[in-house]
Amino acid sequence: MTTYSMNRRGFLRVAGISAGAAAALAACGTPGSSGAGGAGGATITMFHWAGAQGTVPVQVGDAYAKAKGVTVKYIEGTNADVFPKLVSSVQINRSNPLLNLGFFNAQSFAQGNSKDLWLPVPDSVSALSGVLPKYQIPGRKGAYLVMDAMGLVYNKKAFPTPPTSWMDLFAAANKGKVTTWDAPAFSVNAVPVIAKLNGGSETNLQPGIDVFAKAAKAKQFRGFISSVDQLRQQLNSGEVVIAPGFQGVAEPWIQAGDPIGFAVPKEGAMAFPEGFQIVKGSNDAQVTASAELMNELFTPANVAAYCNATGTLPLVRGATMDARYANRPSFQLSTVEQAIQVDWAALVTSITAATQAWNDQVKANI
């Protein structure tokens, strides 16, 4: 295993993949064997998210590599930093992408599709048949694994009772202690949600940018964050008391005893699917290995392990969450399905113009 760490390795570890999953991997073949698809001896690079989001993918990747005689390298980071690097790598050499198999959010799914970055997932990845029909990707251009809920993360000392509205981000009481992600990461900085709540849409983000611009001029924001570790540190210290954030990101912090909470705004959380893509430009052996590894990642046992480690919701039939989540409404798929939905393909068409507006009207006043 080789890891290229773009952010500090996380804060939660699960015991490992199930014994059944490990046995199934061992049955795939012995180290050095090529297997039916000729993956033996291949070297692939998998991108996973930082912290608890990387635990299960690395465990499954290591077990697969040992069973199949494949070398699996890892890139750890966020969509905000890794996706642009992937785009740059294929612009330099289409046949040498930065990574072969990557975990991306819905905005990156749509952006990558518009840039012709993704390969169809081979039919050999039979586990994709378990993905819920509503979340199947046309043309098998990737597959969603889990779904997160985006709402408000906050410092419990500053909020003895949880915040209740997206507009609490802009309340005068929180002046100077709010943060978010910089553009073009509109899938995570709450601009689309604020736009929709103020008469805009995915193709018209200006109403949301207007709200952020007014707040920036009033010195509402401490600055922008570039990693989840930075967000955690600022929330713990009280430098930041509220920010748009994800339940799956906050849950391990909460379980670790941090004075951090997650709230579903009264207007609704934002539904946020996440999953894996095989990158075009990978060679045949890399595609085969990526497909085999993807097949393992999508087994119900490994999806369940991923969700229970990260506080995300499974989008694969048969994957069940631990009992500790059973009575928490925000962890029910029905809650997320009733949340604010985003047309990701439409959002992508707005990114260039919206980023320029953001830079001129929001960032210039930070």
Side-chain angles (χ1 to χ4, degrees):
M1 177 188 73
T2 302
T3 300
Y4 302 106
S5 181
M6 296 185 180
N7 284 298
R8 179 167 53 84
R9 179 62 60 86
F11 36 79
L12 177 68
R13 294 290 182 257
V14 293
I17 59 174
S18 67
L25 277 168
C28 290
T30 58
S33 67
S34 62
T43 296
I44 62 171
T45 299
M46 177 169 68
F47 160 52
H48 63 80
W49 291 4
Q53 299 270 5
T55 302
V56 171
V58 170
Q59 290 176 337
V60 176
D62 287 351
Y64 166 75
K66 183 177 181 180
K68 295 291 291 184
V70 169
T71 298
V72 180
K73 300 180 179 181
Y74 302 100
I75 292 175
E76 179 181 89
T78 67
N79 274 217
D81 60 9
V82 175
F83 183 79
K85 291 180 173 68
L86 171 60
V87 173
S88 295
S89 75
V90 300
Q91 289 173 339
I92 294 168
N93 185 348
R94 193 79 188 187
S95 298
N96 188 28
L98 175 68
L99 56 104
N100 310 108
L101 179 66
F103 186 77
F104 294 100
N105 63 38
Q107 177 177 321
S108 292
F109 265 52
Q111 285 180 277
N113 201 46
S114 70
K115 296 178 183 297
D116 195 28
L117 288 181
W118 315 132
L119 284 172
V121 178
D123 291 339
S124 61
V125 186
S126 58
L128 262 61
S129 63
V131 176
L132 298 175
K134 184 177 179 179
Y135 298 97
Q136 296 275 353
I137 305 297
R140 292 174 68 94
K141 290 291 186 74
Y144 289 134
L145 182 83
V146 298
M147 176 177 285
D148 207 344
M150 180 172 149
L152 299 170
V153 291
Y154 62 95
N155 178 295
K156 288 184 176 180
K157 296 177 182 177
F159 287 90
T161 58
T164 60
S165 171
W166 285 105
M167 300 311 292
D168 288 337
L169 292 167
F170 311 102
N174 303 321
K175 181 178 178 179
K177 294 188 174 184
V178 181
T179 191
T180 192
W181 299 80
D182 197 3
F186 291 109
S187 62
V188 295
N189 67 8
V191 170
V193 172
I194 301 302
K196 290 168 78 76
L197 293 177
N198 286 274
S201 68
E202 293 85 350
T203 57
N204 177 21
L205 296 178
Q206 191 58 51
I209 291 172
D210 289 343
V211 174
F212 276 88
K214 181 179 179 181
K217 291 175 182 176
K219 306 305 178 186
Q220 185 75 3
F221 303 109
R222 186 185 182 280
F224 299 134
I225 47 169
S226 58
S227 73
V228 292
D229 282 337
Q230 185 183 15
L231 176 60
R232 183 187 191 187
Q233 291 163 6
Q234 292 184 0
L235 285 167
N236 274 328
S237 69
E239 296 172 70
V240 164
V241 299
I242 187 170
F246 292 92
Q247 181 167 243
V249 171
E251 184 64 18
W253 305 342
I254 294 168
Q255 291 183 15
D258 291 10
I260 293 172
F262 173 82
V264 176
K266 62 185 180 182
E267 301 91 347
M270 185 186 83
F272 195 76
E274 308 157 355
F276 282 92
Q277 292 281 2
I278 298 175
V279 180
K280 184 174 285 190
S282 304
N283 64 38
D284 289 346
Q286 289 171 331
V287 171
T288 297
S290 297
E292 290 177 349
L293 177 50
M294 198 170 174
N295 213 28
E296 297 301 331
L297 289 162
F298 277 76
T299 65
N302 286 329
V303 176
Y306 188 100
C307 290
N308 287 316
T310 61
T312 52
L313 290 159
L315 295 180
V316 174
R317 287 188 294 265
T320 57
M321 301 194 70
D322 289 346
R324 68 181 185 270
Y325 298 114
N327 296 321
R328 296 173 63 181
S330 59
F331 279 101
Q332 309 311 309
L333 185 59
S334 59
T335 298
V336 179
E337 287 182 323
Q338 295 164 13
I340 297 169
Q341 299 289 333
V342 175
D343 183 336
W344 300 103
L347 176 64
V348 165
T349 66
S350 303
I351 287 176
T352 299
T355 299
Q356 186 62 56
W358 172 275
N359 290 342
D360 292 344
Q361 300 166 37
V362 181
K363 193 171 185 177
N365 291 298
I366 294 295

